[in-house]
Amino acid sequence: MADSRKLKLALVGCGGIAQAHWKGIEGHSPRIQVTAVVDTDAGRAAAMAAQTGAMPFTSLAEALAQGDFDAVDILLPHAQHEEAAVLAFGAGKHVVLEKPMAHTLASAARIQAAAQQAARKAGTVFMVAEQAQYWPDARAVQELIEAGAIGEIITARAFFGGPTAPLGGGPRPWRYDLAIAGGGITMDGGAHWIRPLRMWLGEIDEVVAVTGRPLADMDGESLSRSILRFRSGVVAILDALTAGAVMGPGEEFRVTGTEGEILLEKGRGGRLLLFDRSNPGGKVILDNKDEGRAAAFGYELNDFAGAVLDGTSLEASPEYSLGELRTAFAIYRSAESRQWEKVWE
Ligand SMILES: NC(=O)c1ccc[n+]([C@@H]2O[C@H](COP(=O)([O-])OP(=O)(O)OC[C@H]3O[C@@H](n4cnc5c(N)ncnc54)[C@H](O)[C@@H]3O)[C@@H](O)[C@H]2O)c1
């Protein structure tokens, strides 16, 4: 018999990423029912309510008092993650929280403490949403590496680049404000490039980096160039850049092994290619990786729903998901100290 239990979810924050979560839910998460939407901007809440069929609210407190849901999906600017998460845990709700967990490590620690207390008291689930964990292309690379398709890994490089706000003006985005964002491009979009490297190469031990601010309007770094040394001893390169300009094509990831290379093309519809002795010109493993990346928002929310409804383990624990934020902060420390900086100490 089909399992008809559903997870009633409130979307808290109805901005850009809420749209991606909603599309993921609509297309791929049949066990999730969005029953409440919250935004301090009443117009945005009303528009999201019309789109989803959920009840609109203009504060989480109001939604917790009057709404009908078991879990909240927090989709807010970074400095607001803690207040919303603590409020939701206090009400005994399960919480999924967009990356990064918080704008500082101290705030993240307080969120984790509230999560642990709520888990003991009410059996709540806590997850940090990092959709790269569920990208079909990142999974395919992981499988190729595990199958020995490129032999022993020698090195890897990752390039994240693109606009974080509409080109050519508009109001100053909150992510340009260091007090709200907590950092720049590395902990924001760059996080989605750090996760696949961790999936493929293991845990990062230390980093050395240079940062810059080519985008003058952005308080945090809009450029970082880092060398990451993994616990395995393998060294990789991570670039993160938002230049406020149109950028050309190229590659997002290149993983080089003793037997070949894996390449992920940058840009809409980019492909995953394997180069080895049998395929010196490259074999297409996945065409249009971006279709799967959009669906990944649904897959990550399915993981959350399964943990709540079935008690299954999350693909990535909240502790593990701090790794991208810790890496970004180690990069910032290294840019200041001009030394190697440890990620986990
Ligand atoms: N996973 C990804 O690919 C990805 C992409 C973009 C953003 N994000 C993350 O998603 C989060 C939100 O980013 P965004 O780009 O959607 O921001 P956004 O500015 O587009 O949306 C945030 C929304 O929250 C509302 N809001 C602000 N304070 C509120 C409060 N106290 N209560 C209720 N609503 C409030 C705003 O009115 C706005 O509508 C951030 O953590 C960001 O890093 C992730």
Side-chain angles (χ1 to χ4, degrees):
M1 209 175 84
D3 184 353
S4 58
R5 288 174 307 146
K6 292 220 179 202
L7 177 63
K8 290 182 186 171
L9 184 70
L11 301 180
V12 183
C14 301
I17 202 60
Q19 285 299 326
H21 279 224
W22 169 242
K23 284 190 192 119
I25 291 169
E26 252 192 323
H28 305 280
S29 310
R31 301 179 81 193
I32 294 181
Q33 188 184 1
V34 176
T35 56
V37 292
V38 182
D39 202 295
T40 42
D41 179 325
R44 282 196 182 186
M48 197 87 201
Q51 207 180 349
T52 58
M55 283 282 292
F57 297 95
T58 52
S59 79
L60 175 57
E62 189 194 347
L64 288 168
Q66 298 168 27
D68 173 24
F69 51 90
D70 305 309
V72 300
D73 185 3
I74 299 175
L75 310 152
L76 298 175
H78 305 164
Q80 311 210 26
H81 287 189
E82 180 183 347
E83 188 184 343
V86 168
L87 204 60
F89 283 130
K93 304 295 181 190
H94 307 282
V95 173
V96 54
L97 173 58
E98 253 301 332
K99 54 51 59 185
M101 195 186 295
H103 62 313
T104 66
L105 288 176
S107 179
R110 290 191 292 271
I111 292 173
Q112 284 178 296
Q116 281 157 11
Q117 202 184 3
R120 279 196 299 274
K121 253 172 88 171
T124 49
V125 169
F126 175 39
M127 172 172 149
V128 175
E130 173 45 76
Q131 78 273 15
Q133 182 72 37
Y134 308 86
W135 284 350
D137 57 281
R139 296 289 181 103
V141 172
Q142 193 170 1
E143 281 163 23
L144 285 170
I145 290 171
E146 282 168 9
I150 57 168
E152 293 295 313
I153 294 180
I154 296 170
T155 190
R157 58 197 307 163
F159 174 83
F160 172 78
T164 52
L167 296 177
R172 188 172 189 254
W174 60 260
R175 43 172 48 85
Y176 285 14
D177 186 335
L178 199 55
I180 300 174
I185 192 63
T186 320
M187 69 181 264
D188 196 352
H192 311 304
W193 268 239
I194 298 171
R195 174 63 62 92
L197 289 176
R198 293 175 70 214
M199 290 164 70
W200 306 332
L201 275 62
E203 200 48 276
I204 304 167
D205 178 28
E206 56 182 358
V207 305
V208 67
V210 175
T211 59
R213 293 183 53 239
L215 202 57
D217 200 25
M218 186 167 167
D219 295 343
E221 88 292 351
S222 39
L223 164 73
S224 68
R225 311 208 81 176
S226 313
I227 300 176
L228 318 178
R229 195 192 327 267
F230 288 75
R231 286 182 181 159
S232 63
V234 167
V235 162
I237 283 180
L238 171 73
D239 279 327
L241 173 63
T242 181
V246 174
M247 295 172 84
E251 71 198 31
E252 288 182 342
F253 294 97
R254 178 184 289 267
V255 188
T256 310
T258 49
E259 305 290 333
E261 270 201 323
I262 296 167
L263 198 133
L264 279 163
E265 292 173 335
K266 180 174 184 292
R268 291 270 164 249
R271 300 169 304 170
L272 160 56
L273 298 154
L274 170 67
F275 296 81
D276 61 11
R277 235 166 273 196
S278 317
N279 306 284
K283 179 182 173 188
V284 178
I285 304 292
L286 243 177
D287 212 351
N288 190 6
K289 61 180 170 39
D290 298 287
E291 255 172 27
R293 288 191 179 181
F297 289 105
Y299 306 153
E300 78 180 352
L301 290 164
N302 284 338
D303 192 15
F304 177 67
V308 173
L309 296 172
D310 310 328
T312 48
S313 298
L314 295 170
E315 295 274 340
S317 69
E319 294 73 29
Y320 179 80
S321 295
L322 259 187
E324 288 74 37
L325 188 58
R326 282 191 160 276
T327 301
F329 281 131
I331 285 169
Y332 302 161
R333 288 200 307 276
S334 172
E336 289 283 318
S337 70
R338 299 178 165 226
Q339 309 275 342
W340 285 94
E341 294 285 346
K342 294 281 182 190
V343 170
W344 290 96
E345 290 163 17

